[in-house]
Amino acid sequence: MKKISIHQFSVAPMMDWTDRHCRAFMRLATKRAVLYTEMLHARALIHGKREQLLGFPSDQSPLVLQLGGSEPGDLALAAKIGEDYGYDEINLNVGCPSERVQSGNFGAALMLEPDLTARLVAAMREAVSIPVTVKCRIGVDEQDTEQDLDRFIDVVAQAGCEHFIVHARKAWLSGLSPKDNREIPPLDYQRVYRLKQRRPDLHICINGGIETLDQCAQHGKMLDGSMLGRAAYHNPYILAHVDRHIYGADTASLTRAQIVEAMIPYIEDELAKGVRLPSITRHMMGLYLHQPGARHGRRYLSIEACKDGAGARVVLEAMALVENMREEAACRVS
Ligand SMILES: Cc1cc2nc3c(=O)[nH]c(=O)nc-3n(C[C@H](O)[C@H](O)[C@H](O)COP(=O)(O)O)c2cc1C
């Protein structure tokens, strides 16, 4: 039987989305999925407000810090800071195609520079004792997705990276926005399967366009794991089934209402620290996706959470509204 890896399922790093509030919410739904931070630039960590950028509640493990950068010294220092903060792994971003990222010659632009990427990985590995991993694309621009990807992986693996998460599409470094770069270049899952066949010694996870746990199970036959981004964010209740369906845990999934209730102490703590309620509730909007009453609940929460002095009570009220409408809908059917 295939060994279950902790990386069998992960939620992708997403700038402005997978912040600590989002992760606190997701962690209630799944204890086992690997969660990633947003990408943080190494220099921002070195010179910025560390606690604000890196702080997280104690129970978010397994948690990966994603770094961006192209200076070995900066990345080594930033990785060490992340390790000291308690992150379980450090991941290097080699997939982001935004112009800001390219002007700093990091992100997806590093696909063109396997030797530099290898030096970055080596510098980080030297600095920390936790694993250093790479999230990349199958190529950029006119690169040959067979030979160039193979060379990239071989050179970076030689520097000690044993785990790659491959977004199964190319990135176009000019002409496409980051959003278009997540949608327009075609997905090529077979290419990622071939990579795993050629390098079975490496841990290869796949990312891009995956929407269901059944699809994860399909990829799991060929690969070491699946990473979901937008589907997990827009439909976070999918995460409530991960521990059972992906990791084989024998715990029951929490209901949506139980997840909301479990979120209340976190919300109260954060409000007491001066955080505004919408910064937290914006990540919870998808919990009742496609359920009767979901739109009403979202509208209630959007309006009420923005009011001065809005507290956790608003979240429970929005939930009660949707739960009542779901119950009414269920009665009508039966
Ligand atoms: C809003 C947003 C922000 C993202 N920010 C990052 C990032 O910081 N680092 C990264 O490696 N990828 C980032 N991505 C890309 C995702 O990690 C993922 O590779 C991509 O969305 C494809 O996966 P999906 O189809 O499951 O969403 C971002 C995606 C979105 C939608």
Side-chain angles (χ1 to χ4, degrees), residues 131-206:
V132 173
T133 69
V134 165
K135 176 168 179 280
C136 63
R137 300 272 185 145
I138 56 173
V140 295
D141 296 341
E142 303 300 338
Q143 276 191 317
D144 179 328
T145 53
E146 295 302 321
Q147 287 171 19
D148 290 326
L149 179 64
D150 283 346
R151 178 170 139 68
F152 177 86
I153 298 288
D154 289 350
V155 170
V156 177
Q158 183 70 30
C161 178
E162 294 172 353
H163 177 195
F164 293 84
I165 303 102
V166 186
H167 184 173
R169 51 162 65 90
K170 270 188 165 181
W172 292 97
L173 295 178
S174 51
L176 288 186
S177 69
K179 182 168 182 292
D180 287 347
N181 255 314
R182 293 192 283 268
E183 284 159 15
I184 293 176
L187 285 162
D188 186 353
Y189 295 144
Q190 296 300 325
R191 176 61 190 101
V192 185
Y193 295 174
R194 285 197 296 283
L195 177 64
K196 175 70 188 177
Q197 278 159 2
R198 201 181 66 85
R199 292 296 310 257
D201 56 316
L202 297 175
H203 212 86
I204 305 286
C205 294
I206 194 162

Side-chain angles (χ1 to χ4, degrees), residues 12-15 17 39 66 93 135 167 182 207-209 229-230:
M14 288 178 284
M15 198 97 75
W17 288 9
M39 182 189 75
Q66 191 189 54
N93 181 326
K135 176 168 179 280
H167 184 173
R182 293 192 283 268
N207 166 244
R230 289 162 292 184

Side-chain angles (χ1 to χ4, degrees), residues 33-99:
V34 178
L35 301 182
Y36 280 69
T37 63
E38 314 163 79
M39 182 189 75
L40 293 170
H41 193 279
R43 280 205 199 120
L45 266 195
I46 295 166
H47 303 295
K49 294 181 179 160
R50 282 183 201 167
E51 178 55 30
Q52 208 169 309
L53 293 168
L54 286 181
F56 60 85
S58 56
D59 49 3
Q60 281 203 353
S61 196
L63 180 60
V64 182
L65 168 64
Q66 191 189 54
L67 294 175
S70 56
E71 290 292 327
D74 287 349
L75 280 164
L77 187 51
K80 178 74 182 122
I81 295 169
E83 180 180 44
D84 291 344
Y85 252 84
Y87 286 87
D88 297 297
E89 288 180 7
I90 306 294
N91 176 263
L92 179 66
N93 181 326
V94 187
C96 182
S98 82
E99 265 177 43

Side-chain angles (χ1 to χ4, degrees), residues 195-270:
L195 177 64
K196 175 70 188 177
Q197 278 159 2
R198 201 181 66 85
R199 292 296 310 257
D201 56 316
L202 297 175
H203 212 86
I204 305 286
C205 294
I206 194 162
N207 166 244
I210 306 169
E211 298 198 336
T212 66
L213 298 189
D214 283 347
Q215 290 168 356
C216 295
Q218 286 303 316
H219 290 307
K221 291 179 187 161
M222 306 296 291
L223 299 164
D224 299 295
S226 299
M227 172 183 269
L228 270 70
R230 289 162 292 184
Y233 189 83
H234 294 308
N235 183 17
Y237 197 62
I238 200 174
L239 300 176
H241 306 296
V242 164
D243 295 3
R244 236 183 133 76
H245 290 282
I246 303 285
Y247 293 95
D250 58 6
T251 46
S253 308
L254 292 188
T255 63
R256 293 175 175 84
Q258 285 169 329
I259 293 172
V260 174
E261 279 158 8
M263 190 67 185
I264 299 300
Y266 176 84
I267 295 177
E268 285 172 343
D269 278 1
E270 292 296 308

